[in-house]
Amino acid sequence: MRFLHPLFVLLLVLLPACSSTNRMLKAQPAALSPFFEQPWLAQDARAQLGFQKIWITPDPRVLAAGKAKRKLFIAPVTLHFLRPLSRGLASSEVAWGGVERREADVAARLREEFVAAFRSSPAPLYQLANRPGRDTLTLQLAITELNPTSPKGNAVVTVLKIVATPMMGFAAYLTKGNMAIEGKVLDSSSGRAFFQFADNESDQLTLINLRDYQPYGHAMNTMRHWARQFEQVTRSPRGLKVKDSSSITLRPN
């Protein structure tokens, strides 16, 4: 009889403890950038909507005008507020040329994922528009942090998991990347924001995962989840909980 890998067993134990374990292993909120308007009014929405921070306009007229519109223009993602790399291994691999800086590609992919989320939704609240207009809302997105995963570091960690001790899998915290975004929904005609959100995600804890060896593999997965999460938030009745992504996965890719 073959024994289960100890780290695999640990993941099986942690997974059911969803709420507390997920929060413990999740990335901490990133500092809000100047892109985010009135950051002092931002609220923690992790328990209800999954996003770490949200803001809703206190102006009833702006809110009513925003809620009345059913067309959405998703603007190109801005990198103007992107911070420098802050993870040691990722910074070193970029400096050595082992990992490419692909912020522009990631920004384009982020917009594509949000567009795809509305196009594939079973009941989207908004019809996508090709340009902003008097009858549309505009979704603006900003990437504020983008630290790639360390492929070489994860290759070493994988070997340690197998030949040394499975608990060395937690050394992956040193090789993790992260991505932080901020978004705001504006009334296209007035330019005033009525909803904002911000979130930061790091690589999921895994046993062996192909995304661990792709600098932006985890980021791609995170962007897809953010897009679906946002689309679901737009059409969910008030008070309905929207599920956050898990900090642990057993999927191999």
Side-chain angles (χ1 to χ4, degrees), residues 138-153:
T138 296
L139 171 62
Q140 295 181 349
L141 295 163
I143 299 176
T144 58
E145 292 186 11
L146 182 59
N147 285 287
T149 300
S150 172
K152 291 183 179 178

Side-chain angles (χ1 to χ4, degrees), residues 112-167:
E112 291 172 3
E113 290 293 351
F114 272 76
V115 169
F118 281 90
R119 286 180 175 167
S120 63
S121 170
L125 180 65
Y126 296 114
Q127 175 187 348
L128 293 182
N130 293 325
R131 60 185 62 85
R134 294 179 60 85
D135 60 343
T136 70
L137 298 172
T138 296
L139 171 62
Q140 295 181 349
L141 295 163
I143 299 176
T144 58
E145 292 186 11
L146 182 59
N147 285 287
T149 300
S150 172
K152 291 183 179 178
N154 277 331
V156 173
V157 168
T158 299
V159 172
L160 291 175
K161 289 178 188 176
I162 297 171
V163 304
T165 168
M167 296 308 294

Side-chain angles (χ1 to χ4, degrees), residues 66-93:
K67 286 185 173 181
K69 298 184 178 182
R70 288 295 178 266
K71 291 184 179 180
L72 180 69
F73 169 67
I74 301 177
V77 177
T78 180
L79 294 171
H80 182 70
F81 303 93
L82 182 63
R83 303 182 181 103
L85 296 176
S86 59
R87 301 287 178 93
L89 284 176
S91 299
S92 297
E93 290 199 37

